[in-house]
């Protein structure tokens, strides 16, 4: 099984497990799986698909207006948009730079 198919299976398993323990809605970003070899563009495999997913994330976050977000799967870039959405929601309360005390 390819890694791409593994992500699909993993997503379904996590949804099944988590849905029995969560009261909050679960949003899954759309993705496309093809049977052929993924196209590479600008050195990124499935670049077009990745860009579509990244573009749909802010809309999904706006639609649900969550107080908390859990990201599952993919690589670390999947957290960029959720972190930015939470930073907009909570502002400087949680995302400000630490200040140094006078005592230093």
């Amino acid at each position: 099984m390819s890694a791409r198919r593994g992500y699909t299976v993993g997503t379904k398993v996590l949804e099944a497990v988590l849905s029995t323990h969560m009261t909050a809605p679960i949003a899954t970003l759309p993705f496309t799986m093809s049977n052929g070899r993924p196209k590479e563009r600008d050195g990124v495999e499935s670049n077009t698909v990745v860009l579509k997913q990244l573009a749909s994330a802010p809309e999904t976050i706006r639609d649900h207006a969550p107080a908390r977000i859990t990201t599952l799967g993919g690589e670390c870039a999947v957290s960029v948009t959720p972190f930015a959405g939470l930073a907009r929601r909570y502002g400087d309360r949680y995302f400000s730079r630490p200040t140094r005390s006078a005592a230093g």
Side-chain angles (χ1 to χ4, degrees):
M1 177 185 332
S2 74
R4 290 178 293 127
R5 297 246 183 258
Y7 282 133
T8 303
V9 172
T11 298
K12 297 298 181 193
V13 170
L14 288 169
E15 281 179 358
V17 170
L18 292 177
S19 65
T20 61
H21 300 287
M22 294 182 64
T23 57
I26 296 174
T28 302
L29 296 180
F31 60 92
T32 304
M33 290 296 291
S34 65
N35 290 326
R37 181 178 168 88
K39 293 180 182 176
E40 185 176 311
R41 187 172 132 212
D42 299 330
V44 177
E45 183 180 291
S46 302
N47 185 306
T48 304
V49 174
V50 170
L51 291 175
K52 283 181 185 179
Q53 290 172 331
L54 290 173
S56 68
E59 182 179 331
T60 302
I61 292 169
R62 276 192 305 274
D63 290 349
H64 291 282
R68 293 173 287 179
I69 299 174
T70 302
T71 58
L72 303 168
E75 40 87 57
C76 61
V78 302
S79 297
V80 172
T81 302
F83 289 166
L86 292 173
R88 279 190 297 282
R89 179 182 179 119
Y90 294 109
D92 290 339
R93 287 193 303 187
Y94 298 104
F95 292 93
S96 64
R97 297 176 82 185
T99 58
R100 299 183 97 184
S101 67

